Amino acid sequence: MNKKIQLQDLGTKDYKSTWEYQEELFKGIVDLKIQNRREETQIPTPNYLLFVEHPHVYTLGKSGDLENLLLSEKQLEAKGATFYKINRGGDITYHGPGQIVGYPILDLENFFTDIHKYLRFLEEAIILTLAEYGVASGRSDGETGVWLGVGTPFARKICAMGVRASRWVTMHGFALNVNADLGYFDNIIPCGIRGKAVTTLNVELGVEKVDEAEVKSKILKHFTDLFEAEF
């Protein structure tokens, strides 16, 4: 069991090239697992966590509904945004500046073989991070991700999640709104859920800007504790 995770902060990077890079790392782990099984070897499989910020982009999961994108191609261009159908779970979401996107590419056989537990741990890392800023958050039944005001008319999502897993190897991940422009969410029905708002950490704190590097360090601390990992 290799519980070491290689952390890579990619800075600002195009969605498509990041997706291709994820696929490359994902395939490398899967291929090594197949080789280990075939050759009866025990070469340790690597794990990665990518942090990245994307230029404006909308992505639609494999079970998503295209009608949840409320823009035409021309309107997308006018807003300087791109759109991709991708191979994760979940519906439509937005990525852009001011958002911390995390892509854990883990061999869960190094940790535990339970996708449900994996998603709950990702949520918990964000919930614990937000608590350090005095922001109470939690889960909403049947709606993966992290929410504020659950069970009230003011329920709002602060972190979206969507993952893919094969042979216990994960990719895609979470998107935490820290200083994001909420106007871009008006162009979609976020995660296909009507009538619920989206928020950001800086809005909740009533400040102009939150230090994103500090938020990342807090996420890493909680990720390390939950997964009993080492970066």
Side-chain angles (χ1 to χ4, degrees), residues 157-223:
K157 195 171 201 176
I158 195 166
C159 184
M161 292 185 183
V163 304
R164 175 192 171 199
S166 177
R167 294 180 184 266
W168 297 113
V169 182
T170 67
M171 63 180 287
H172 300 297
F174 62 86
L176 175 63
N177 299 327
V178 180
N179 302 301
D181 181 348
L182 288 173
Y184 278 83
F185 287 96
D186 295 339
N187 306 313
I188 58 173
I189 299 169
C191 304
I193 302 166
R194 293 181 181 274
K196 289 199 178 174
V198 178
T199 190
T200 65
L201 183 55
N202 70 318
V203 166
E204 295 297 326
L205 295 177
V207 299
E208 187 176 337
K209 190 172 174 61
V210 175
D211 183 341
E212 290 169 35
E214 182 184 77
V215 177
K216 287 177 190 174
S217 70
K218 293 180 187 303
I219 293 171
L220 283 177
K221 178 181 70 175
H222 296 301
F223 200 101

Side-chain angles (χ1 to χ4, degrees), residues 12-30:
T12 300
K13 193 173 176 68
D14 168 73
Y15 185 85
K16 189 169 187 295
S17 57
T18 308
W19 183 14
E20 288 168 351
Y21 182 51
Q22 277 195 81
E23 291 277 12
E24 182 185 313
L25 297 177
F26 177 89
K27 184 177 184 299
I29 298 173
V30 169

